[in-house]
Amino acid sequence: MAPISLAILNPIAFILMEIDKQKGQNQQADSQAKGLQSLKLLKQILKGIVFNPVLLMTILGMIGNVAFKHKISIYIEGLLEVFGQSFSATALFLLGLRMVGQIHKLKGPALVLPCVLIMVKLIILPVVMRECVSSLNAGTNESETISLSTYAFLYGTIPTAPAVFVFSSLYQLEIDLMASSMVICTFLSGPMMFLSAELISINKDYAAQMKKFGFDLSIVALLCCLWVLIVFVITKKHRRMPHRLTISLLLSQILLAVSVIWGGPHNTSAPSLNATIQQAFLSFSMYSCLLWTSMLSVGILMLQSRGPCFVVTLWPVLGFVAWGAPAVMVTVLLATKSSTENINSQATDAIRLCLLVFCLTVTTGCLIVYIRLRRRSALFASLSAEATTNFSPPEETSSLVENMEPTSQAQSVSGDTNAALGCYGTITASPSPSRQPNGCCSNDPDCENDLADSNDIEDLGSNIRECACPSWRRAPDGACPHSRDVQRAAAALGLLPHELARARTAQLLKHTVLIIIYSLSMFIGITYTTWRMMLKDESGVFVEIEFLDVAANYGQGLVLFILFGVDPEEILVPTLRYLKTKWYGADTVILPPIEDLSFETKHVCDQFISHHLDRCRDAIAKDTRWRMRTYRGVFRGSCLVKWLIDCGLAKDEYEAVTYGRHLVDGRLIAHVSDAHHFTNSPMLYAFK
């Protein structure tokens, strides 16, 4: 197998990587010499492939095998064996060396793509390899074909070879991603291999054990779903998007767990009214879980492209599809069954297989489009950040205007654009009467911003971005001209979506992970249902696929619990903060006495009062409305930091924050509720 892989399969990847490498080096070439450039590119690609050490050494080894008549000299064989044995160790050492200082980066969004690659490698690839070998009838008889297909499944669970990281380093392609993915895959593939080997050797009927496993798992999943539901209700996420769609999926999973628990831990084949109703509820909840997963992916895509108000309008349609279609299917199953039998299992499996294929197609397609829109928005954000970096405002007093925008989008929307966007407009100090301070439509009570339920008055996180353009450079509607130029450039490049999406603190990353995991469970369900309908050999690998299908189907509540139920910021931290407030009273900043202030603090305060106080107040202080309350003459901490840097009182953000802390200690500025010291954040401060 080694020569086939090294001399036939690997060159395909080498050709693609060489094309990418040479295109990257020659992308600045003159368009007039396009024909000559193509010939030169082809020559460089062929040269890179021919002199590739992996391919070259493989071909030389095959030639040497023929030249030495299949028996190499003992001296040459010993030398080459040492070199061959040192390759794996050297590659693994290079892999570990690359991971130095990279472990702390393996969290949050950085883990999504490695986990997707690992799931494809450890779960999807073994199934595909097994089906390919089985479909090709690789053995001389049926027994040998089954044996080879089982070996192919086990072979697919082996971790990725370290040579892949060497190729990645050679062509400078996603080195950090490949390093982290291979390290995690190596640690996870061990348990997967041993589990597969044990389950493959099973030849007994484990239907009763699978039934009991599904029953026990449903009890745990029911408790997890109820906890997540309580968290959503307490934190008022059930009123937001896309959490409203998630709650609908959660209710379907609760109904699925109740249906499994209703059926009991033992198999009952005797037809009865109770068994028929239980099977009907089980089929309905199973179908609705699949459809709600695809509807959730549609909702997240619409949330990114059209905004939450459109998703609120679309929500009844999604609910009708996700609950109405399963009801019709179950009604048809009940109408076509005989009075002396339970619901036909073959018809149930056929409907489930069709739903799995449909839902997996819709979910995967929506997820791909959603990721492409996110990347397009990130490109626009880079353009906006570059324009902001290249602009240097004059050192004169100016009014700083805060725009409510997510940092992931980095968009500055003009007043005309706000009107076109409908629900999502720019939030300024004096919002229009038709808009709430959270930036949503006042005439739609269902459309709410996640910021509306924040615990602290300025718990805005990173959703605030200030524009430092002076008033004389702004348009009459208050829009930044540089942002408009960037928008026009992005529109010309096709980077702007049809409507500027507004990412909220809606935990979109967690929803993306949720959809990816459920898509994997759909693939496992398709494999198991197809295998069961085709009546293939139900031993060995089938037992493992059935086990994975039961775990993925009845254990969906555990995934929701891990993603949404164990976040300490949702329940634990607010509860401790509330108890601390009730026990000790409200949080206040304890400042040192005036007579104990350092000479530096007194000097900074005296200089600020004498030369900068009036100018600073005129530049950044303004009336700000937040949560039905207007704060007079306040400013954000980030505004003061930017003003201090622009005026030359501080070289960087660190010095500006230190300067601001001197002002707080000197009683010149203070937090509006005296709950925080000075920080470079959107928190509100006022002059005393």
Side-chain angles (χ1 to χ4, degrees):
M1 294 177 62
I4 296 176
S5 175
L6 294 174
I8 299 177
L9 300 180
N10 284 357
I12 299 176
F14 294 151
I15 291 174
L16 298 176
M17 289 187 290
E18 280 290 342
I19 292 175
D20 180 76
K21 178 180 178 181
Q22 299 301 332
K23 279 188 175 181
Q25 295 176 355
N26 300 318
Q27 60 183 355
Q28 303 295 334
D30 187 5
S31 59
Q32 296 180 355
K34 192 173 182 179
L36 296 177
Q37 190 65 31
S38 300
L39 295 176
K40 183 179 178 182
L41 177 62
L42 180 61
K43 180 180 178 181
Q44 291 174 345
I45 291 174
L46 293 177
K47 180 180 178 182
I49 295 174
V50 170
F51 289 99
N52 187 286
V54 177
L55 180 61
L56 180 62
M57 291 298 106
T58 303
I59 296 177
L60 290 178
M62 297 172 65
I63 296 175
N65 186 24
V66 176
F68 290 105
K69 298 181 180 180
H70 310 292
K71 185 173 179 61
I72 196 171
S73 172
I74 187 173
Y75 303 104
I76 301 179
E77 182 180 3
L79 179 62
L80 296 179
E81 186 176 354
V82 172
F83 287 149
Q85 292 176 350
S86 65
F87 174 78
S88 298
T90 308
L92 291 174
F93 179 80
L94 178 63
L95 176 62
L97 189 65
R98 185 70 187 187
M99 290 301 298
V100 174
Q102 303 291 330
I103 302 297
H104 66 281
K105 297 181 181 179
L106 295 179
K107 58 183 180 180
L111 277 176
V112 176
L113 188 55
C115 290
V116 172
L117 295 175
I118 291 170
M119 288 191 301
V120 172
K121 172 64 181 71
L122 296 182
I123 298 179
I124 298 180
L125 179 63
V127 174
V128 172
M129 292 178 63
R130 193 245 176 229
E131 292 301 320
C132 289
V133 174
S134 179
S135 301
L136 294 174
N137 294 323
T140 56
N141 51 50
E142 183 178 358
S143 177
E144 187 175 351
T145 301
I146 294 177
S147 177
L148 289 175
S149 62
T150 303
Y151 162 75
F153 182 89
L154 186 61
Y155 185 78
T157 60
I158 297 176
T160 306
V164 176
F165 181 72
V166 177
F167 302 153
S168 176
S169 302
L170 180 63
Y171 290 95
Q172 296 296 312
L173 295 174
E174 302 290 348
I175 300 177
D176 294 333
L177 174 63
M178 291 303 302
S180 58
S181 302
M182 291 185 62
V183 169
I184 300 175
C185 181
T186 303
F187 280 102
L188 295 180
S189 62
M192 187 69 183
M193 284 190 297
F194 288 114
L195 176 64
S196 301
E198 289 294 330
L199 293 178
I200 285 173
S201 61
I202 293 177
N203 294 318
K204 300 179 181 179
D205 185 10
Y206 274 74
Q209 286 76 3
M210 289 293 179
K211 178 74 173 178
K212 190 175 184 304
F213 170 70
F215 177 80
D216 297 336
L217 186 60
S218 298
I219 295 177
V220 179
L222 178 61
L223 297 177
C224 294
C225 290
L226 293 176
W227 171 256
V228 175
L229 182 62
I230 293 173
V231 171
F232 279 4
V233 172
I234 292 178
T235 57
K236 300 182 181 179
K237 289 183 177 179
H238 63 284
R239 301 165 59 184
R240 312 172 193 168
M241 285 295 175
H243 293 85
R244 187 180 300 184
L245 302 175
T246 311
I247 283 189
S248 301
L249 175 61
L250 184 65
L251 294 177
S252 299
Q253 293 176 359
I254 291 176
L255 182 58
L256 176 62
V258 172
S259 302
V260 176
I261 296 173
W262 184 0
H266 305 291
N267 289 321
T268 55
S269 58
S272 63
L273 179 61
N274 180 65
T276 301
I277 297 176
Q278 184 266 337
Q279 291 179 3
F281 274 102
L282 180 63
S283 300
F284 172 81
S285 56
M286 188 181 302
Y287 298 159
S288 63
C289 286
L290 295 175
L291 287 173
W292 267 121
T293 302
S294 59
M295 295 302 106
L296 178 61
S297 62
V298 173
I300 291 180
L301 176 60
M302 294 297 103
L303 185 67
Q304 174 70 20
S305 60
R306 303 294 297 274
C309 291
F310 180 80
V311 181
V312 169
T313 306
L314 190 64
W315 181 77
V317 179
L318 301 179
F320 177 78
V321 174
W323 275 323
V328 174
M329 296 174 188
V330 173
T331 302
V332 172
L333 289 175
L334 292 175
T336 55
K337 85 174 191 68
S338 62
S339 58
T340 59
E341 296 179 356
N342 291 325
I343 297 178
N344 190 349
S345 60
Q346 293 183 354
T348 304
D349 291 341
I351 294 177
R352 186 192 177 202
L353 180 60
C354 295
L355 276 179
L356 283 168
V357 174
F358 170 77
C359 294
L360 182 60
T361 304
V362 173
T363 303
T364 307
C366 291
L367 190 61
I368 292 174
V369 177
Y370 167 74
I371 296 300
R372 291 176 67 89
L373 287 178
R374 295 280 292 181
R375 289 183 177 179
R376 188 167 62 176
S377 300
L379 289 176
F380 173 73
S382 63
L383 289 176
S384 179
E386 183 179 356
T388 304
T389 303
N390 295 333
F391 173 67
S392 298
E395 294 185 2
E396 63 176 27
T397 59
S398 60
S399 176
L400 299 181
V401 180
E402 291 82 22
N403 295 330
M404 180 68 68
E405 298 187 6
T407 56
S408 61
Q409 305 296 329
Q411 299 161 337
S412 177
V413 185
S414 64
D416 296 335
T417 308
N418 295 335
L421 288 176
C423 291
Y424 279 92
T426 303
I427 297 176
T428 59
S430 299
S432 61
S434 63
R435 299 190 183 280
Q436 298 290 345
N438 58 8
C440 198
C441 302
S442 59
N443 56 358
D444 191 353
D446 294 329
C447 181
E448 294 193 5
N449 187 358
D450 286 347
L451 301 176
D453 297 312
S454 181
N455 293 325
D456 192 70
I457 192 170
E458 299 101 15
D459 191 13
L460 306 182
S462 60
N463 292 327
I464 305 293
R465 184 174 291 273
E466 295 79 12
C467 179
C469 292
S471 57
W472 60 271
R473 292 297 305 274
R474 291 183 170 275
D477 58 1
C480 174
H482 299 278
S483 299
R484 283 184 168 179
D485 294 339
V486 172
Q487 288 186 28
R488 282 193 289 267
L493 294 175
L495 300 180
L496 280 177
H498 296 292
E499 293 190 19
L500 297 178
R502 294 286 182 165
R504 300 314 206 196
T505 55
Q507 298 176 306
L508 291 179
L509 176 62
K510 293 184 177 181
H511 283 87
T512 304
V513 175
L514 179 69
I515 293 176
I516 292 174
I517 295 176
Y518 284 1
S519 300
L520 177 64
S521 68
M522 290 180 190
F523 176 81
I524 296 175
I526 291 175
T527 304
Y528 170 72
T529 308
T530 305
W531 198 327
R532 182 176 175 180
M533 292 181 62
M534 295 179 66
L535 301 176
K536 291 185 177 181
D537 179 52
E538 297 185 358
S539 62
V541 179
F542 178 80
V543 177
E544 182 175 2
I545 298 298
E546 184 179 7
F547 170 78
L548 293 176
D549 179 70
V550 172
N553 196 21
Y554 298 152
Q556 296 180 8
L558 295 175
V559 180
L560 277 173
F561 176 76
I562 294 173
L563 291 176
F564 300 100
V566 296
D567 190 356
E569 297 294 334
E570 301 292 342
I571 297 295
L572 181 60
V573 173
T575 302
L576 294 178
R577 185 185 301 148
Y578 175 79
L579 295 177
K580 180 181 177 181
T581 302
K582 290 300 182 182
W583 184 265
Y584 296 104
D587 293 336
T588 57
V589 177
I590 301 178
L591 301 177
I594 296 294
E595 56 273 11
D596 294 341
L597 293 177
S598 63
F599 171 78
E600 182 181 3
T601 300
K602 293 179 181 180
H603 177 70
V604 169
C605 293
D606 292 339
Q607 292 293 327
F608 188 80
I609 294 174
S610 302
H611 304 285
H612 309 291
L613 179 58
D614 294 335
R615 288 197 308 130
C616 183
R617 182 186 287 112
D618 295 338
I620 66 176
K622 59 180 173 50
D623 298 340
T624 301
R625 181 178 175 83
W626 176 249
R627 290 190 181 179
M628 307 304 293
R629 180 179 176 182
T630 301
Y631 296 88
R632 305 291 181 183
V634 297
F635 58 91
R636 303 194 186 276
S638 53
C639 291
L640 180 59
V641 169
K642 185 174 296 184
W643 187 87
L644 292 172
I645 296 175
D646 293 340
C647 293
L649 297 178
K651 295 181 180 179
D652 50 26
E653 293 182 359
Y654 177 78
E655 290 189 5
V657 171
T658 304
Y659 196 102
R661 288 182 171 270
H662 287 311
L663 299 182
V664 173
D665 292 339
R667 278 72 171 177
L668 294 183
I669 62 174
H671 186 259
V672 290
S673 59
D674 291 328
H676 302 279
H677 213 291
F678 183 79
T679 57
N680 183 18
S681 67
M683 295 182 183
L684 295 178
Y685 296 87
F687 292 99
K688 288 190 175 181

